[in-house]
Amino acid sequence: MAKPVVIKKADEMQARARELSCAGKSLGLVPTMGALHAGHESLIVRARRENDVVVVSIYVNPTQFGPGEDFERYPRTFEADRKMCAEAGVDIIFAPDSLYHRAARTWVEVGGLEEPLCGMSRPGHFRGVATVVTKLLSIVRPDRAYFGRKDAQQLLIIQTMTRDLHLGCEIVPCETVREPDGMAMSSRNRYLSASERKQALAISHALEYCRAEVEKGERDAMTLLGEMANLLGGQPDLEIDYVAAVDARTLDDLTTLKGDVLVAIAAKVGNTRLIDNTHFEGLK
Ligand code: AMP
């Protein structure tokens, strides 16, 4: 098992990536904030299959955290991450100390898609995400970059921005990896106490309920969302941020589920904010 090379400087990463591209190698990038789990691993495995060279970036991006959020306490587990990357055959770990010049003043905003859903309670979050992903794509210039559907709004914003700015990279969506009981894997799950972990399961249960009802023919958003909110409301330490059914391309609220639909939940369990979703294509 070859050890991945660790690169900490953006200039060095950019030069190395350019060399590899010039030598005719295809590059796959998996952007992460570290604390890697099987969800990240599935992105890495796919990137390994589809590219000559795999770069995993590990960077806890300060600009996507709001005041009072968990930037300081976000899990940083570099040695374990490095081990997982080695086992998965990653070639390069890009782990910069900072990606922001002290006088940085350039930001990437994707109008209309940043404000709804998570944007409501995390103003500025997606501007931070769009900006850091633009930086990573500019530094590595990958042929393909891999993102999880668990962060569906983030994925849509990145797809839109890549198209609008001609970034010339294929954005590859990857399915959500779940624990055996259905809970979506997340670096933040490790914050949960045993009781919170049990209560958090209501999130994936509510989404499973929604899938089952839609399969039976239910299309009324109020009926579905109301029942999902009831399922979540049974948990004493769970506070709903939103339960929404939106058009998967515009994120506009739907009254009837039709076409490509995203049903998404965000909730705080204790102090931990969790998100999950399910998506439907071509609903009639
Ligand atoms: P993060 O380190 O949380 O910023 O996530 C890095 C990438 O991994 C993002 O594209 C996420 O959507 C993706 N990801 C996180 N959790 C999962 C999961 N459970 N299944 C699939 N992808 C995931």
Side-chain angles (χ1 to χ4, degrees), residues 40-95:
H40 298 111
E41 196 181 9
S42 74
L43 274 56
I44 296 171
V45 165
R46 173 117 189 239
R48 179 69 288 161
R49 219 170 40 230
E50 297 179 353
N51 301 277
D52 297 324
V53 177
V54 175
V55 181
V56 171
S57 63
I58 298 181
Y59 180 57
V60 185
N61 172 37
T63 66
Q64 71 188 70
F65 290 81
E69 289 189 356
D70 56 344
F71 175 68
E72 265 86 27
R73 71 179 184 119
Y74 196 85
R76 287 160 173 87
T77 59
F78 188 75
E79 277 319 311
D81 294 349
R82 193 210 304 247
K83 192 161 169 271
M84 179 193 279
C85 287
E87 281 162 7
V90 170
D91 300 292
I92 301 175
I93 298 175
F94 177 44

Side-chain angles (χ1 to χ4, degrees), residues 100-118:
Y100 294 89
H101 190 278
R102 7 176 197 37
R105 52 173 87 216
T106 306
W107 297 98
V108 180
E109 289 183 340
V110 184
L113 298 179
E114 297 190 354
E115 297 80 8
L117 304 179
C118 288

Side-chain angles (χ1 to χ4, degrees), residues 5 7 20 48 58 77 103 122 132 156 161-162 174 217 219:
V5 176
I7 298 182
L20 289 161
R48 179 69 288 161
I58 298 181
T77 59
R122 303 190 76 189
V132 80
L156 178 66
M161 142 199 133
T162 306
C174 301
R219 295 291 182 271

Side-chain angles (χ1 to χ4, degrees), residues 31-34 37 39-40 42-43 74 146-148 150-151 154 175-177 185:
T32 80
M33 297 206 299
H37 50 67
H40 298 111
S42 74
L43 274 56
Y74 196 85
Y146 297 79
F147 293 89
K150 188 178 89 71
D151 299 275
Q154 166 175 291
E175 291 308 322
T176 301
V177 176
M185 290 198 177

